[in-house]
Amino acid sequence: MKCSKCENAAIYEKPALCKEHFNEYFEKKVLKTIKEYDLLSKKDKICVAASGGKDSVSLLYVLHKYGYSVEALAIDEGIAGYRDESLEFLKKFCSEKNIVLRIFSYKDEVGSTIDILSKKYSPACSVCGTFRRHLLEKHSKGYDKIVTGHNLDDESQAVLMNILKAQTSLFARQGPKTSSVKGFTQKVKPFYFIKEKEVMIYAYLNGLNVDFKECPYAPQSFRAHVRDLLNEYEAKNPGAKMNIVLHYLKSRNIKTERKEIKTCSKCGMPSSGNICKACRIKAEIKQ
Ligand code: SF4
């Protein structure tokens, strides 16, 4: 198959594109999302939530390439044979690109690791996600935006997960950018309309030799069930994932309740209750 834009062989179908034109297509799509949804400005102090995986490394790469002033913020959950390896790659990548990297660990900040907590909490993702959001929020103070590598697959899964669990109040966290809420750093997602497969190809084509390994705890998660379900549906009905996010964006104007934001009496971070979920779990861990 030939590239639809030149005489070279296509490395991607739908649209049929060669390496050079795939990169152009990918980057144009990212820049268009940034512009259309007013996600970032070159003056912003940006921190990229980085894990060393394909999404965050591709995100750092493309934002750095287009002159955004990025720093990387990584959270080490303490997952042996997985996060330690991806963080090693991230350190090397950031050092080659002269990108400031700050790493914070659950071990230091929570007093435990996911490898230990997974023995008490199943699925591990339920506590891991809470601490990750908490630490990203805590350590992103002073930045204008947190940029995350969430892609079309992640976002369509999140919409479906919230519908299946009737957690429509969490819709406020979704979309290409979260609303500005006092106490929270705004989160933006330049890969919102990019398929996971496209990010994998982009990482590969640009020599970002990331490991595509999955977290060992991921298969236990609710997200993994929804992901498999959605992948199966998408294979038979191409475009379903895009339809889910487009439907979500169209219905965004329908008022979604967002709980009143209080301040956690233990750590001072924004919280829906008097004590935030992260501090409640920390207290449980100490018992
Ligand atoms: Fe944490 Fe679950 Fe993500 Fe693994 S898959 S890093 S346990 S949230």
Side-chain angles (χ1 to χ4, degrees):
M1 189 178 31
K2 257 197 209 164
C3 173
S4 54
K5 305 233 172 200
C6 71
E7 292 301 304
N8 291 331
I11 52 99
Y12 188 63
E13 284 180 32
K14 294 183 188 168
L17 296 168
C18 65
K19 176 182 172 179
E20 185 194 330
H21 286 111
F22 176 84
N23 273 336
E24 186 186 271
Y25 155 85
F26 183 99
E27 291 169 4
K28 261 191 184 167
K29 216 159 139 180
V30 175
L31 298 175
K32 187 169 174 238
T33 305
I34 292 177
K35 191 166 173 219
E36 261 186 35
Y37 288 87
D38 191 21
L39 301 188
L40 298 170
S41 126
K42 296 261 166 88
K43 290 184 196 144
D44 283 337
K45 192 173 177 215
I46 299 165
C47 91
V48 173
S51 63
K54 66 177 187 326
D55 300 298
S56 59
V57 174
S58 300
L59 185 58
L60 278 168
Y61 178 85
V62 72
L63 292 179
H64 184 261
K65 177 172 176 179
Y66 284 91
Y68 288 92
S69 109
V70 288
E71 294 189 8
L73 171 57
I75 307 296
D76 180 357
E77 303 93 343
I79 303 173
Y82 171 67
R83 185 59 75 223
D84 42 0
E85 291 176 11
S86 72
L87 288 179
E88 273 317 302
F89 177 79
L90 183 65
K91 283 181 201 164
K92 191 165 162 274
F93 175 85
C94 288
S95 138
E96 280 166 14
K97 300 274 176 203
N98 277 323
I99 295 174
V100 172
L101 166 65
R102 296 186 304 141
I103 303 179
F104 299 92
S105 71
Y106 286 8
K107 191 159 183 262
D108 293 342
E109 304 245 356
V110 175
S112 193
T113 64
I114 283 300
D115 281 340
I116 294 171
L117 293 174
S118 66
K119 295 183 178 66
K120 182 168 178 183
Y121 296 93
S122 180
C125 302
S126 57
V127 290
C128 187
T130 299
F131 286 135
R132 185 177 168 76
R133 281 190 298 277
H134 179 78
L135 295 187
L136 283 176
E137 199 56 62
K138 178 177 170 186
H139 295 292
S140 64
K141 299 290 165 229
Y143 290 90
D144 298 307
K145 309 267 170 64
I146 304 181
V147 195
T148 69
H150 291 100
N151 58 46
L152 178 67
D153 293 57
D154 300 322
E155 290 298 303
S156 54
Q157 288 157 17
V159 172
L160 204 53
M161 283 162 69
N162 289 333
I163 292 172
L164 292 172
K165 289 203 163 179
Q167 290 176 326
T168 45
S169 61
L170 295 183
F171 277 165
R173 282 189 195 162
Q174 292 173 234
K177 80 173 165 189
T178 56
S179 38
S180 277
V181 179
K182 196 168 169 265
F184 288 96
T185 311
Q186 194 171 37
K187 291 174 194 67
V188 303
K189 304 165 191 170
F191 288 177
Y192 191 80
F193 296 105
I194 303 219
K195 295 176 195 163
E196 178 161 39
K197 187 174 152 193
E198 293 175 335
V199 183
M200 284 168 100
I201 295 172
Y202 184 77
Y204 176 76
L205 291 181
N206 289 284
L208 310 173
N209 296 318
V210 280
D211 196 342
F212 293 108
K213 214 194 272 177
E214 182 175 70
C215 170
Y217 302 108
Q220 308 163 356
S221 67
F222 177 50
R223 180 180 282 275
H225 295 299
V226 173
R227 177 195 63 193
D228 295 346
L229 195 121
L230 209 44
N231 282 347
E232 199 183 312
Y233 190 78
E234 173 85 20
K236 293 179 191 149
N237 303 277
K241 293 176 188 175
M242 185 63 88
N243 288 342
I244 290 175
V245 300
L246 290 178
H247 175 75
Y248 162 75
L249 290 173
K250 272 190 206 152
S251 53
R252 271 177 88 146
N253 293 336
I254 301 170
K255 202 173 176 306
T256 53
E257 358 108 45
R258 176 145 199 160
K259 290 182 186 163
E260 184 200 345
I261 304 296
K262 299 180 182 170
T263 302
C264 171
S265 59
K266 298 268 179 206
C267 68
M269 298 286 286
S271 162
S272 56
N274 293 330
I275 300 179
C276 74
K277 194 171 169 192
C279 287
R280 289 201 308 269
I281 303 173
K282 275 195 221 175
E284 270 177 36
I285 295 167
K286 284 182 193 146
Q287 280 169 15

